[in-house]
Amino acid sequence: MQEYDVTLKLLLRGSAPLTMHELTGTVVTKWLNVELPKVRNLRLDLLGETADGGLVHVELQSGNDAAMPLRMAEYCLAIFRQYGQFPRQVVLYVGEPALSMKSELRGPGVMFGYRLIDIRTLDGDRLLESGGVGDNVIAILAGLRDHEGAVRKIMGRIAGLAAAERETALAQLTILAGIRHLWAVVEQETRKMPIDLDIREHEFLGPIMRAERQEGRQEGRQEGRHEGELTILRRQIEKRFGALPRWATEKLASLPASELEDLSERVLDAQSVEELLR
């Protein structure tokens, strides 16, 4: 989920003011260094300063973590040590499984809590009406009456941006659409736009794709080259086309590592699983 985290961080820090206000109830005017050197090297997702000098800490979470309350308490204390004040804290959950984490830590004489928000509970239709294109893009993850219609509306907004902004917004939408299995809709609408986006060469998506592949290769060296290449390829295919059918899973498992590596390049151009594996 690394690329989703990176995308959301960039959106929330930049062009999604309505979303940030929905999450925190305030406006962030300045983003702060998120590396906290005390105790241990804690790295926050987002830490901002509001107009009245308060602090807002937003953590992005793609999976249910039973230790989340403890993590947030550690973050809270580390922020207090560094800045001398407690932050307003929010955990934004963007995962597919139902949210099951707790939002508080209780013990004898101890009570700690923070806001825990499933992004699907945000009003996506309201975010679509925002003047910030970042809010529009994030809407794809929120509660919507018509996800495909929302994609078309967002694409229409992106089409009116300047070339550089348009490419970045489209790359961000492409990544987030993968969480909701709407990549095919984005691809279809992209063909109607005057833009030729190569994911491998794009300045925003390219480094993410290369980092993910490198991560998979490192795992492969630990568990065997074949297993590593298979893991990478399955992730790429599922992000683009959704869950793999059984026949495809079996075929991939039977291929040697060299062919899996070749397919991991071709998956970016293939139009379907059938075309990729025929």
Side-chain angles (χ1 to χ4, degrees):
M1 299 291 285
Q2 177 192 19
E3 66 271 34
Y4 303 141
D5 286 349
V6 172
T7 299
L8 283 168
K9 288 175 191 176
L10 290 174
L11 287 168
L12 292 172
R13 285 173 64 102
S15 56
L18 178 58
T19 305
M20 277 301 301
H21 192 274
E22 290 289 299
L23 296 177
T24 66
T26 188
V27 176
V28 175
T29 57
K30 177 183 177 182
W31 294 104
L32 306 175
N33 177 26
V34 293
E35 188 167 313
L36 304 175
K38 304 295 184 179
V39 183
R40 58 177 176 158
N41 191 22
L42 298 176
R43 185 79 181 176
L44 309 180
D45 282 337
L46 294 168
L47 181 64
E49 184 178 312
T50 63
D52 61 1
L55 297 178
V56 172
H57 168 213
V58 178
E59 203 67 20
L60 306 174
Q61 189 68 18
S62 59
N64 287 297
D65 183 357
M68 200 68 206
L70 181 58
R71 284 175 52 195
M72 292 300 288
E74 291 174 340
Y75 289 146
C76 183
L77 291 175
I79 291 170
F80 182 81
R81 289 191 186 98
Q82 178 117 341
Y83 296 99
Q85 63 175 301
F86 291 110
R88 186 179 311 181
Q89 290 183 293
V90 178
V91 171
L92 180 61
Y93 178 69
V94 299
E96 278 293 296
L99 175 61
S100 62
M101 291 182 290
K102 294 182 179 180
S103 61
E104 61 181 28
L105 191 64
R106 288 179 177 269
V110 175
M111 170 57 193
F112 168 79
Y114 52 90
R115 286 192 74 191
L116 177 58
I117 302 173
D118 188 327
I119 198 167
R120 286 167 289 203
T121 65
L122 296 182
D123 188 343
D125 294 303
R126 183 163 181 256
L127 295 179
L128 282 178
E129 300 303 319
S130 169
V133 69
D135 290 318
N136 305 153
V137 172
I138 290 175
I140 202 66
L141 300 179
L144 289 167
R145 289 171 292 181
D146 178 6
H147 279 82
E148 293 189 9
V151 169
R152 286 188 284 272
K153 189 169 184 176
I154 297 168
M155 293 293 284
R157 175 76 188 280
I158 291 175
L161 298 175
E165 295 178 357
R166 184 177 61 213
E167 290 193 10
T168 296
L170 179 56
Q172 292 169 332
L173 177 62
T174 300
I175 289 176
L176 298 192
I179 300 179
R180 297 292 181 257
H181 309 295
L182 292 168
W183 197 94
V185 180
V186 173
E187 182 184 37
Q188 182 179 3
E189 293 298 316
T190 301
R191 291 173 182 165
K192 302 176 184 178
M193 296 175 62
I195 181 173
D196 181 17
L197 177 64
D198 187 337
I199 292 178
R200 291 163 295 188
E201 300 301 325
H202 191 270
E203 63 178 359
F204 177 80
L205 272 177
I208 294 174
M209 295 294 290
R210 290 192 291 272
E212 178 174 314
R213 186 167 186 183
Q214 181 63 28
E215 179 184 351
R217 282 178 172 165
Q218 290 173 351
E219 293 176 1
R221 282 193 291 269
Q222 295 172 356
E223 301 176 7
R225 183 181 173 215
H226 181 274
E227 193 63 29
E229 293 292 348
L230 180 60
T231 298
I232 290 175
L233 184 56
R234 288 195 59 170
R235 288 176 182 172
Q236 290 178 311
I237 294 175
E238 289 175 351
K239 283 172 186 172
R240 182 158 190 188
F241 303 115
L244 281 171
R246 182 174 178 179
W247 68 266
T249 299
E250 293 175 348
K251 181 168 183 177
L252 288 173
S254 68
L255 296 176
S258 59
E259 290 190 38
L260 294 176
E261 185 173 354
D262 179 60
L263 286 174
S264 70
E265 294 284 348
R266 288 168 46 199
V267 69
L268 299 173
D269 299 314
Q271 302 302 310
S272 65
V273 176
E274 289 76 14
E275 176 185 332
L276 178 67
L277 299 180
R278 67 185 178 190

